[in-house]
Structures are given as C-alpha cells and as structure tokens.
Amino acid sequence: MPREIIILECTEAKAEGKPTSRYVTTRNKKSLRTPGRLEKVKFNPFLQRRTLHRELR
C-alpha cells in the first residue's frame, strides 16, 4: 500500500503550556516532494488560531 497513516501534532501549544491538538491524516510513502517530516498549518481549538503541526514518528 503506497499510503501510510501519520499523526500531526501542534508545535506551538507546548511552548505556551496548553494542550496540544492532533490530527490524523495520510501521506504517500513514495512521493519525492515530501522526503522529511510533513508540516501543515492547521487550526488548534485550544489556542483558537491556526498553528504549525508537524508529523510525529
């Protein structure tokens, strides 16, 4: 199967001492465009704004 399930975790919430938000999504294992960890800007409901979420390993 060429896609794998990954978890994205907020990077800014830990610094502020708030709960982190997590999203579950998929990524293409064979893609040459995303060789490292995936980063996306997603909404964090605890901070009430859009923040950077990074892939957990």
Side-chain angles (χ1 to χ4, degrees):
M1 202 148 133
R3 299 192 77 79
E4 65 179 345
I5 297 172
I6 59 167
I7 299 171
L8 300 174
E9 184 178 49
C10 180
T11 57
E12 298 176 22
K14 286 183 183 178
E16 296 184 18
K18 303 261 176 129
T20 60
S21 69
R22 291 186 175 177
Y23 285 91
V24 178
T25 187
T26 61
R27 71 180 271 172
N28 189 353
K29 287 182 184 179
K30 298 181 181 180
S31 177
L32 299 176
R33 292 179 14 185
T34 56
R37 291 189 181 190
L38 188 64
E39 293 182 351
K40 287 192 172 217
V41 176
K42 305 285 278 182
F43 183 76
N44 185 335
F46 301 110
L47 300 177
Q48 293 293 312
R49 65 175 190 256
R50 295 170 67 214
T51 59
L52 181 68
H53 286 65
R54 191 169 290 137
E55 176 183 349
L56 289 180
R57 296 255 169 151

